[in-house]
Amino acid sequence: MEDYLMQEYETLKTLVAETEADINKAEGGNKAAGTRVRKQMQKIKQAAHIVRSRVLEIRSTEAK
């Protein structure tokens, strides 16, 4: 179970790192980059939810 958590966490970190360049471009006024950032942020939100769910699964398994 913990292996899945680390894999999901690594995915989350990768998504955040990949978004940085587009965030900088969006700050400069690049509208297309802003669109990409919004799309990536949705993926980040989903990945964070998966990590959160895995943590809850581990906690409930350890409580038994």
Side-chain angles (χ1 to χ4, degrees):
M1 187 70 69
E2 286 87 10
D3 291 336
Y4 290 120
L5 176 61
M6 284 307 295
Q7 290 173 352
E8 297 297 341
Y9 180 67
E10 290 299 323
T11 299
L12 177 60
K13 287 186 348 182
T14 300
L15 286 169
V16 171
E18 290 173 349
T19 306
E20 185 175 0
D22 281 330
I23 287 175
N24 291 330
K25 290 177 186 177
E27 284 182 331
N30 185 324
K31 291 181 182 181
T35 300
R36 289 191 299 271
V37 168
R38 290 193 305 276
K39 186 175 180 180
Q40 282 294 99
M41 293 306 292
Q42 187 62 35
K43 290 180 183 180
I44 290 169
K45 178 182 174 184
Q46 292 167 348
H49 179 74
I50 291 169
V51 170
R52 183 178 183 275
S53 296
R54 295 273 190 243
V55 170
L56 289 174
E57 286 176 19
I58 291 169
R59 188 174 79 178
S60 67
T61 303
E62 290 175 353
K64 291 181 182 180

